[in-house]
Amino acid sequence: MTYSRITGTGSYLPEKLLTNKDLEKIVDTTDTWIRERTGIKERHIAADTETTSDLAFHASRKAIEMAGISSSEIDMVILATTTADKIFPGTACLLQKQLDVHGCPAFDVQAVCTGFVYALSIADKFIRAGETRRVLVVGSETLSRILDWNDRSTCVLFGDGAGAVVLEADSEPGIMSTHLHADGSYEDLLHVPHGISIGYEQLKAGEAYVYMEGNAVFKMAVNKLGQLVDEALTANGISKSDIDWLVPHQANSRIIEATARKLRMSMERVIVTVAEHGNTSAASIPLALDIAVRDGRIKRGETLMLEAFGSGFTWGSVLLKF
Ligand code: ACO
């Protein structure tokens, strides 16, 4: 039996830092409001010349280095993003070019904040089916480009960044289960209302921004994130105490704390990095994972539950032995 296992992690945050204090000068907000309602202290913003594929490249190089392989050994590139470099080609192809990898499949996954979980699940299936052996799975975002910097209810929440993992075939798990969900009927609660085939004029005018009904999203997120844990535990016949670390989507520390409370999980077993980078959408889980691996909290052999919720709505989980 072939399983898939994470052999390397990497992440990258752009150099430019935007603190809550900096935001006080841009919109009518305060450091206290942002910290109390979201847990966010600062976020990183890509330079004007820096692209989603650039961020992805830096994170990927670190993951490849940790895996102890060379880029040429990668046989699939899957990149989750909601902020593609270009309308086409896919950002995964642009990343592949930067990595000097040629010929293997490379494609984007668009499931907004759940994108990385979707991408990891797809990579796992390809490896289990015996079609690929080493997949580079990346989440990368330049969300600062689609924020309305006059809207205090959204611009304080998001940031730019990237995270990556190398997933390799192994005789031992690895990924134990993945569960993916979506319900498009919630489209209007969290979206960018303009794009190529709807509102192209606004897109061209640079007015395509994130719109969110924060309260409704908050309630739904806590509900679905709690259900995801129960679903994965039941599918694997294990209990909450078997999970060493919960690595949730980093949107808001209050959502993460409410989810942990609902699951009666101690916050000591939850990875929270949102304070340092805000909500980086598809990049948030691999970013948090890499930070916790490199600072020594997450160790080989431990059981991790990755879970995400985002626009669509989409939600999903990955249970794995690291
Ligand atoms: N600074 C100061 N005041 C603010 C700010 C701000 N930045 N933003 C909003 N306010 C005000 C509002 O205008 C409102 O004022 P009012 O009472 O006078 O009308 C008051 O603060 C309370 O606003 P609420 O929206 O009720 O605040 P809430 O406690 O719900 O927090 C928040 C808002 C942080 C957005 C929360 O709803 C939230 O986190 N929602 C979920 C976001 C999320 O997790 N998204 C995940 C997916 S993201 C993706 O998929 C791309």
Side-chain angles (χ1 to χ4, degrees):
M1 182 99 180
T2 306
Y3 298 95
S4 72
R5 200 169 65 83
I6 292 176
T7 55
T9 65
S11 62
Y12 176 76
L13 289 166
E15 207 176 302
K16 185 179 169 193
L17 201 60
L18 186 69
T19 65
N20 292 348
K21 282 279 170 207
D22 296 330
L23 279 168
E24 287 180 359
K25 293 174 207 141
I26 300 172
V27 283
D28 181 16
T29 191
T30 62
D31 172 47
T32 310
W33 191 96
I34 302 172
R35 269 192 294 106
E36 286 180 1
R37 301 289 178 118
T38 72
I40 300 166
K41 292 182 194 148
E42 57 196 27
R43 68 288 293 140
H44 293 249
I45 306 293
D48 291 346
T49 53
E50 227 171 4
T51 63
T52 293
S53 61
D54 291 336
L55 271 51
F57 173 67
H58 293 303
S60 299
R61 280 217 333 206
K62 291 180 192 164
I64 290 167
E65 187 185 71
M66 189 189 284
I69 59 167
S70 75
S71 309
S72 60
E73 292 175 89
I74 297 290
D75 57 16
M76 179 175 281
V77 179
I78 311 180
L79 187 141
T81 188
T82 195
T83 46
D85 282 10
K86 296 180 176 183
I87 291 168
F88 66 82
T91 309
C93 295
L94 304 178
L95 169 63
Q96 192 195 32
K97 177 181 158 192
Q98 290 205 47
L99 289 167
D100 199 17
V101 175
H102 306 273
C104 74
F107 57 93
D108 292 3
V109 168
Q110 161 57 305
V112 201
C113 297
T114 317
F116 181 77
V117 166
Y118 268 64
L120 202 53
S121 176
I122 295 165
D124 174 57
K125 304 293 178 286
F126 269 101
I127 288 178
R128 280 175 189 251
E131 286 196 30
T132 57
R133 291 199 63 81
R134 289 191 183 91
V135 188
L136 176 66
V137 188
V138 190
S140 184
E141 302 282 11
T142 47
L143 286 163
S144 60
R145 309 262 159 85
I146 53 165
L147 294 176
D148 177 354
W149 290 99
N150 296 308
D151 177 9
R152 67 178 183 175
S153 70
T154 51
C155 76
V156 305
L157 303 175
F158 298 94
D160 301 335
V165 303
V166 173
L167 196 69
E168 296 196 56
D170 204 307
S171 54
E172 304 277 319
I175 291 183
M176 296 155 72
S177 69
T178 69
H179 291 91
L180 304 179
H181 301 276
D183 188 341
S185 63
Y186 294 98
E187 165 196 1
D188 293 342
L189 293 179
L190 177 55
H191 62 148
V192 175
H194 312 297
I196 308 301
S197 69
I198 299 178
Y200 188 51
E201 289 306 314
Q202 286 90 338
L203 182 70
K204 277 198 292 187
E207 291 163 0
Y209 300 130
V210 173
Y211 170 84
M212 176 168 69
E213 290 192 22
N215 278 313
V217 175
F218 191 106
K219 282 181 204 138
M220 190 82 174
V222 173
N223 189 15
K224 292 298 180 198
L225 290 169
Q227 284 175 12
L228 280 169
V229 175
D230 291 336
E231 179 182 45
L233 294 179
T234 306
N236 290 280
I238 62 171
S239 64
K240 277 168 203 155
S241 58
D242 294 316
I243 298 178
D244 295 302
W245 295 102
L246 185 64
V247 189
H249 169 47
Q250 308 287 315
N252 178 321
S253 59
R254 279 166 59 226
I255 294 181
I256 298 172
E257 283 157 16
T259 307
R261 243 190 335 268
K262 207 170 160 197
L263 296 168
R264 296 199 189 84
M265 276 188 85
S266 155
M267 284 305 289
E268 284 166 18
R269 288 162 58 203
V270 183
I271 303 297
V272 188
T273 59
V274 68
E276 282 76 41
H277 53 71
N279 183 346
T280 57
S281 195
S284 100
I285 288 182
L287 244 173
L289 175 66
D290 183 55
I291 290 170
V293 166
R294 286 177 193 265
D295 70 19
R297 272 178 289 176
I298 293 177
K299 295 178 188 65
R300 283 279 163 212
E302 289 185 324
T303 302
L304 315 185
M305 170 90 194
L306 318 184
E307 57 164 8
F309 177 85
S311 172
F313 287 139
T314 54
W315 62 102
S317 72
V318 177
L319 187 76
L320 63 93
K321 276 231 180 291
F322 186 67

